[in-house]
């Protein structure tokens, strides 16, 4: 597994570590807004969240540079992360991968509740990835490999569809074996 905490340990040929417990670790908001670190307390070991934004609309957590670049070795593996919502919401959580001039999108499933929800997403073409939008054509294996081979953006939805409900993000990992 590979994740964004600065302290990494080797585990079965993949990179493994925690995320979001001590700082922003390079995560930013997209297309606008601010990502903030929520400090550890008696329940959580720290995580990322969005600050409220007057512009509204969906905002995403945009992954730092260490998640980007040539990630073709992770094709066939998986992406995992945890989200929780600041208040109840009914919608879906979307992901975006950009690279090689292509945009791939995928629904990760329903929005989280007030407790942490674990998401495990397959990183292969027939894992539900679409070209351009959720209603686009299914990505081919060649398209998926091209994107993973030159990944320049990895986005995880950080708000509900209106931008009013903010999500917390933690434990983002990319693994070679499906997670």
């Amino acid at each position: 597994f590979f994740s964004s905490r600065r302290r990494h340990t080797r585990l079965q040929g993949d990179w493994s570590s925690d995320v979001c417990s001590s700082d922003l670790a390079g995560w930013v908001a997209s297309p606008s807004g601010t990502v903030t670190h929520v400090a550890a307390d008696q329940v959580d070991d720290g995580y990322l969240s969005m600050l409220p934004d007057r512009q509204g609309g969906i905002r995403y957590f945009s992954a730092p540079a260490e998640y980007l670049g040539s990630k073709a070795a992770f094709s066939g593996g998986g992406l995992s992360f945890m989200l929780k919502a600041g208040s109840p919401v009914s919608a879906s959580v979307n992901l975006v991968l950009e690279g090689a001039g292509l945009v791939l999108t995928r629904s990760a499933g329903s929005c989280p509740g007030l407790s942490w929800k674990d998401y495990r997403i397959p990183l292969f073409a027939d894992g539900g990835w679409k070209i351009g939008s959720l209603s686009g054509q299914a990505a081919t294996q060649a398209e998926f490999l091209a994107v993973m081979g030159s990944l320049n953006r990895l986005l995880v939805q950080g708000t509900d569809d209106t931008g009013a409900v903010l999500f917390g993000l933690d434990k983002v990992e990319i693994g070679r074996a499906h997670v």
Side-chain angles (χ1 to χ4, degrees):
F1 295 98
F2 180 80
S3 67
S4 74
R5 246 200 216 158
R6 300 190 195 297
R7 178 180 47 98
H8 298 283
T9 57
R10 226 32 192 159
L11 178 65
Q12 300 173 2
D14 294 328
W15 287 101
S16 178
S17 64
D18 298 322
V19 66
C20 311
S21 70
S22 62
D23 61 29
L24 297 177
W27 290 84
V28 296
S30 178
S32 66
T34 303
V35 172
T36 186
H37 178 260
V38 178
D41 61 19
Q42 293 175 343
V43 177
D44 293 308
D45 64 354
Y47 60 92
L48 301 181
S49 187
M50 298 271 180
L51 290 178
D53 187 89
R54 288 183 291 208
Q55 292 181 353
I58 297 174
R59 287 179 288 139
Y60 292 85
F61 293 103
S62 183
E66 62 195 88
Y67 281 92
L68 308 176
S70 180
K71 299 299 181 203
F74 295 101
S75 293
L79 169 68
S80 69
F81 56 93
M82 296 180 74
L83 289 176
K84 73 176 182 176
S87 61
V89 63
S90 176
S92 65
V93 172
N94 300 318
L95 304 171
V96 177
L97 301 176
E98 293 182 16
L102 296 169
V103 176
L104 303 181
T105 62
R106 185 189 192 284
S107 172
S110 62
C111 280
L114 300 176
S115 299
W116 288 106
K117 180 176 180 178
D118 190 25
Y119 294 86
R120 295 177 185 273
I121 309 303
L123 289 176
F124 43 86
D126 57 355
W129 294 96
K130 306 287 186 176
I131 304 280
S133 72
L134 293 174
S135 60
Q137 292 185 348
T140 67
Q141 183 66 15
E143 290 165 332
F144 191 82
L145 287 173
V147 169
M148 291 298 288
S150 62
L151 193 61
N152 56 36
R153 283 179 45 136
L154 165 61
L155 304 174
V156 177
Q157 190 168 337
T159 67
D160 72 330
D161 294 344
T162 68
V165 177
L166 309 176
F167 298 163
L169 174 69
D170 203 359
K171 297 180 178 34
V172 181
E173 298 180 336
I174 299 176
R176 293 178 202 269
H178 182 60
V179 289

